[in-house]
Amino acid sequence: MSDIIHLLPDHIANQIAAGEVIQRPASVVKELLENAIDAGAVNITVNIKDAGRTLIQIIDDGKGMSETDARMAFERHATSKISSVNDLFALNTMGFRGEALASIAAVAQVELITRTKDNEVGTFLSVSGSVLDSVVPKACNTGSIFSVNNIFYNVPARRKFLKSNDVEFRHILTEFERVVLVNPDIAFTLKHNESVVFNLAVCGLKQRIVDVFGKGMNQKLLSLEAATSLVDVYGFVGRLDTVKKRNGLQYFFVNNRYMRHGYFHKAVMQAYEQLINTGETPDYFIYFKVDPSTIDVNIHPTKTEIKFENERPVWQIIYSAVREALAKSNSVPSIDFDLSEKIDIPVYNPVIGNEIKAEMPKIHLNSDYNPFRDFSDRRPAADDWKTLYEDFEKEKTIPTSPQIEENLFTEVSNLCFQYKSRYIVTTLKSGLVIIDQRRAHIRILYERYLSNIIRKSSASQKLLFPEIVEFTASEASMVASLLDEIRYLGFDLADLGGNSFAINAVPSDVSGGSTTGLVKDIIVAAMESRSTEAEKQSEKMALSLAKATAINAGKTLTSDEMDAIVGSLFALEANGLTPDGLPVLTIFTDEELMKRLEKTTFPK
């Protein structure tokens, strides 16, 4: 039997390794940004074309590389950060494995222009599919310019499965934000298709957060700080009145590196426990400074998961720091006395010397009242009872049921009543039906909004004064791709630039509440759909708007309102469940009711 085990060729091995590091264009942006930071750059420019498919260019003014270093940088496991095993436990740089450039060069056409300040002439180097094409001298400034062209050009399957440009660019924005939030001492510029998305100057940490996520963040953040022998924790957490139902801005950074840590996230959420409603999430930007020897950053290919040596003590420090930040800012709810009405309080005037005394309340008695007086003459006569009953019948009106389509529920009664201001109870020919009024309204509105998007029609009402809504860069890119769907829902948005939009009109059935919050929730819902299909995004948006505008449990309804909900619900083909799978109604047949009554026993 012949041998079957053999070594893979270098170009195939490089492409396999690249799959672990380079998952999409955003991975290239992350790796090259980290390299520029490690090079000591103070000004970094990122140029993107076609969401990274065509070009990803990183320009920095760091220390640059010599010709020999430029060649070696594209070899696998070539690094300047590690010379022994012990160096793995004392890392203070972003990249260290020496895989990034080799992986990028394996799946793209890469050009590098670089020069150190000690050399008069720089180096131009070209690599395609791990093959070095050319190395020539070139005049250039100190620093490096990496140009990554046609990513996955030699791996068609990987390129085919890239998402739309909007989705891929949002991933790039996510990686860009994670880097800039922890490096406020570096100026960053991001351009997409020659349009400037970010132009971030050197500033303080809080100002960098505001520059990235909008001016509104300035009043939403509370300072957090705790210095201990184990870890230094600092940063910002969101005020209680700024929590969100979904998609909070939640960031952890350790030693200037972004990380995800579910255990520490629970510490923050527990600090907010009983201060916010279930399902709400606060914003937080929390930074850690720890001894590199007490953490392990080498447990995940993308280095976003980090192992701490002393997780439990750090958990306690985070919890205490967040609680202290909330307490210092008086964010904990307190008793608020309503002093809107003027209250006259007796006072003493030291000049005049008189004291204003309050009068004692007077009790008024009816001296003519006699409990033994005969009231028989005031009882109604027999005829009066008949008249009273007739008047009552005249005032009693039975609302008419709206016209509904022929289906299983055409026999629904036109008599409805409300139970505990939450359920609508009505009868069928064969039994009793109980309807959750909020869920029913959500189902009705969802079908209406989704139908408007499909039919490309809408019903809007103009706002007397337009409202301004600010989005993050990721949200703004989503808005641009969904403007038609947003308009069919009933909103009229005008782009003001700088990730800001003016809300000129809202759906006709929207009244009161935060219009800006409503629009943001719709966009966030579309982003959370995790799908590039327009149909799926439309369904998420319609559901978000329906939940926001539907009546709440506890609202007392008139007979006409109950009839309208019942009629509209039974006119739908799918009316048993909400769009997210919750039951809308339950039916008790006559047989079920009879069986329940037969089994019912009462104490003697």
Side-chain angles (χ1 to χ4, degrees):
M1 179 178 177
S2 61
D3 298 332
I4 60 174
I5 305 297
H6 62 276
L7 294 176
L8 287 172
D10 286 343
H11 69 283
I12 297 178
N14 287 341
Q15 288 187 9
I16 294 173
E20 298 179 0
V21 181
I22 309 304
Q23 301 173 355
R24 56 189 349 132
S27 304
V28 176
V29 174
K30 171 184 179 293
E31 299 292 348
L32 295 183
L33 279 175
E34 290 179 349
N35 285 348
I37 293 169
D38 288 343
V42 294
N43 293 282
I44 301 176
T45 299
V46 182
N47 292 319
I48 306 293
K49 287 187 178 178
D50 300 325
R53 297 171 189 267
T54 304
L55 172 67
I56 300 172
Q57 186 181 65
I58 310 292
I59 305 172
D60 70 71
D61 58 357
K63 58 187 178 183
M65 290 181 283
S66 65
E67 179 180 336
T68 302
D69 285 345
R71 288 172 177 264
M72 288 295 296
F74 288 93
E75 297 294 330
R76 287 192 66 192
H77 308 305
T79 178
S80 62
K81 304 351 180 350
I82 298 174
S83 58
S84 68
V85 174
N86 293 332
D87 292 337
L88 284 172
F89 304 99
L91 290 168
N92 287 294
T93 57
M94 302 299 289
F96 58 89
R97 294 177 182 168
E99 293 179 330
L101 293 182
S103 298
I104 294 170
V107 294
Q109 299 168 333
V110 183
E111 295 179 352
L112 168 62
I113 301 174
T114 184
R115 180 175 77 86
T116 63
K117 65 178 182 180
D118 297 331
N119 294 331
E120 295 182 356
V121 179
T123 301
F124 172 83
L125 182 145
S126 176
V127 183
S128 298
S130 299
V131 178
L132 182 63
D133 294 333
S134 63
V135 180
V136 296
K138 186 177 181 66
C140 61
N141 295 325
T142 302
S144 301
I145 302 176
F146 280 92
S147 300
V148 180
N149 302 280
N150 303 319
I151 188 172
F152 299 134
Y153 79 100
N154 57 348
V155 193
R158 293 286 300 278
R159 189 175 178 90
K160 176 183 178 182
F161 283 97
L162 288 177
K163 304 298 183 181
S164 67
N165 284 356
D166 290 331
V167 173
E168 294 298 338
F169 185 62
R170 284 199 297 275
H171 284 287
I172 291 175
L173 284 172
T174 298
E175 296 295 345
F176 181 82
E177 289 167 357
R178 291 173 179 176
V179 172
V180 302
L181 285 174
V182 81
N183 293 283
D185 55 339
I186 300 177
F188 291 90
T189 301
L190 173 63
K191 298 179 181 179
H192 186 216
N193 294 334
E194 305 300 328
S195 176
V196 177
V197 180
F198 282 112
N199 189 7
L200 306 173
V202 176
C203 59
L205 186 58
K206 185 175 183 179
Q207 186 60 45
R208 175 56 59 87
I209 295 173
V210 171
D211 290 343
V212 173
F213 295 112
K215 298 177 181 178
M217 293 298 298
N218 196 31
Q219 304 299 324
K220 297 180 180 179
L221 300 178
L222 306 173
S223 296
L224 172 147
E225 187 172 0
T228 69
S229 58
L230 280 179
V231 60
D232 290 342
V233 180
Y234 61 96
F236 305 92
V237 293
R239 297 175 59 88
L240 295 178
D241 56 353
T242 63
V243 294
K244 303 174 182 176
K245 294 181 179 179
R246 59 169 71 91
N247 202 36
L249 301 173
Q250 299 174 339
Y251 293 87
F252 284 124
F253 302 94
V254 56
N255 292 354
N256 293 340
R257 184 192 304 275
Y258 170 80
M259 73 166 181
R260 293 193 297 263
H261 208 294
Y263 186 55
F264 291 166
H265 171 74
K266 290 181 180 178
V268 178
M269 296 306 297
Q270 190 162 330
Y272 278 85
E273 194 173 17
Q274 296 182 350
L275 300 178
I276 60 177
N277 296 325
T278 303
E280 294 179 332
T281 58
D283 297 334
Y284 60 76
F285 304 84
I286 299 179
Y287 300 75
F288 303 87
K289 285 291 183 184
V290 299
D291 184 350
S293 64
T294 63
I295 60 174
D296 186 0
V297 300
N298 196 31
I299 63 174
H300 193 272
T302 60
K303 296 169 284 188
T304 56
E305 296 180 11
I306 297 175
K307 178 67 176 177
F308 280 69
E309 184 179 292
N310 302 297
E311 285 190 344
R312 182 61 185 175
V314 174
W315 190 98
Q316 294 288 354
I317 293 170
I318 296 170
Y319 174 81
S320 300
V322 175
R323 293 291 293 187
E324 183 180 5
L326 294 173
K328 284 183 176 179
S329 64
N330 295 324
S331 290
V332 177
S334 58
I335 298 175
D336 184 17
F337 295 98
D338 185 8
L339 298 179
S340 57
E341 297 183 4
K342 183 178 179 181
I343 301 176
D344 294 327
I345 302 176
V347 297
Y348 176 77
N349 191 321
V351 178
I352 303 176
N354 63 326
E355 183 178 357
I356 303 175
K357 297 182 179 180
E359 295 183 359
M360 289 293 293
K362 297 179 180 180
I363 301 176
H364 300 280
L365 301 176
N366 183 6
S367 57
D368 296 330
Y369 175 73
N370 183 355
F372 302 100
R373 182 181 174 184
D374 185 10
F375 288 93
S376 59
D377 57 334
R378 300 177 60 181
R379 295 175 184 172
D383 294 340
D384 293 336
W385 286 109
K386 184 177 180 180
T387 304
L388 178 63
Y389 180 78
E390 291 176 352
D391 292 340
F392 174 77
E393 287 295 324
K394 291 179 180 178
E395 293 177 0
K396 184 178 179 181
T397 58
I398 301 177
T400 57
S401 174
Q403 186 67 30
I404 59 177
E405 298 176 7
E406 289 290 328
N407 59 20
L408 179 63
F409 299 101
T410 53
E411 299 172 348
V412 66
S413 170
N414 60 351
L415 290 175
C416 303
F417 71 91
Q418 195 176 20
Y419 176 67
K420 290 191 174 181
S421 297
R422 177 171 181 175
Y423 303 102
I424 300 174
V425 182
T426 188
T427 59
L428 303 174
K429 185 176 182 180
S430 58
L432 187 73
V433 59
I434 302 176
I435 304 168
D436 186 305
Q437 65 187 40
R438 173 166 172 78
R439 293 177 182 177
H441 202 205
I442 289 174
R443 183 80 225 187
I444 295 166
L445 293 177
Y446 169 80
E447 296 292 348
R448 182 186 304 168
Y449 294 141
L450 193 59
S451 175
N452 287 344
I453 295 176
I454 295 173
R455 294 186 291 105
K456 298 183 178 181
S457 63
S458 64
S460 303
Q461 55 181 342
K462 289 287 185 181
L463 295 179
L464 185 60
F465 300 102
E467 297 186 26
I468 307 301
V469 56
E470 293 186 357
F471 296 101
T472 65
S474 299
E475 292 169 346
S477 65
M478 180 62 110
V479 173
S481 64
L482 294 174
L483 277 179
D484 288 340
E485 288 80 0
I486 294 171
R487 185 171 68 254
Y488 299 142
L489 285 175
F491 294 95
D492 179 14
L493 301 186
D495 191 352
L496 302 178
N499 301 333
S500 297
F501 289 78
I503 306 175
N504 297 317
V506 297
S508 56
D509 49 8
V510 171
S511 60
S514 172
T515 304
T516 57
L518 189 58
V519 174
K520 294 202 72 169
D521 285 345
I522 293 171
I523 299 304
V524 170
M527 295 177 68
E528 289 182 345
S529 67
R530 299 181 182 272
S531 173
T532 58
E533 298 180 15
E535 181 180 354
K536 295 294 184 182
Q537 292 177 342
S538 297
E539 291 173 356
K540 287 289 186 180
M541 294 168 67
L543 178 57
S544 176
L545 183 58
K547 287 184 175 181
T549 56
I551 59 174
N552 292 318
K555 176 180 172 59
T556 303
L557 303 177
T558 65
S559 297
D560 290 340
E561 289 172 336
M562 287 188 285
D563 287 342
I565 290 177
V566 172
S568 299
L569 178 67
F570 290 154
L572 301 177
E573 293 183 2
N575 51 23
L577 299 173
T578 62
D580 48 354
L582 299 177
V584 172
L585 55 85
T586 184
I587 300 174
F588 293 94
T589 63
D590 291 342
E591 291 78 7
E592 290 174 330
L593 291 173
M594 290 178 64
K595 289 180 181 179
R596 183 177 291 270
L597 286 173
E598 290 174 357
K599 294 180 180 180
T600 302
T601 59
F602 295 96
K604 296 182 180 180

